[in-house]
Amino acid sequence: MGDVFKALADPTRRIILDELTEQDGQTLFEICVRLTSRHQLSLTRQAVSQHLAVLEEAGLITTRRQGRYKFHHLDTTPLAAILERWPVTRKGQAP
């Protein structure tokens, strides 16, 4: 679970996850374009690729290859495990 928290600690990786939430199944090129155009983040493809690797190692994204392209998909399973382990409660309510 530590890998998940490490992956989520970086604001750029959280933005990438937000982008995959909005449009799942993006290529590296598509993610780079969205980061530049929507968030004014001018990262190299290599930098974005490294962020994606951290997210994949944490289990927050999965990938699939189709021809020359690699598509990135959001996987919320690790987040569900966190919520299961530490349920969110409202102030004054029992878990």
Side-chain angles (χ1 to χ4, degrees):
M1 226 177 261
D3 289 347
V4 175
F5 289 112
K6 176 187 169 194
L8 293 173
D10 186 279
T12 300
R13 289 194 283 269
R14 291 193 305 269
I15 291 171
I16 291 170
L17 291 174
D18 288 342
E19 288 301 325
L20 289 173
T21 299
E22 196 169 306
Q23 182 179 332
D24 200 27
Q26 295 183 61
T27 64
L28 174 61
F29 176 77
E30 291 170 320
I31 293 168
C32 288
V33 168
R34 289 174 74 98
L35 292 177
T36 302
S37 64
R38 299 180 69 167
H39 303 281
Q40 292 71 49
L41 293 174
S42 55
L43 301 170
T44 64
R45 286 172 45 129
Q46 179 65 31
V48 175
S49 182
Q50 289 173 349
H51 283 299
L52 290 168
V54 172
L55 291 169
E56 189 171 12
E57 287 174 22
L60 291 166
I61 65 170
T62 58
T63 59
R64 71 174 167 82
R65 286 204 173 272
Q66 184 175 339
R68 300 178 352 168
Y69 300 100
K70 184 176 181 181
F71 295 90
H72 301 83
H73 298 275
L74 179 65
D75 184 352
T76 59
T77 305
L79 299 176
I82 290 171
L83 287 175
E84 187 175 303
R85 183 168 177 178
W86 295 294
V88 176
T89 59
R90 297 189 188 272
K91 190 174 182 180
Q93 293 180 339

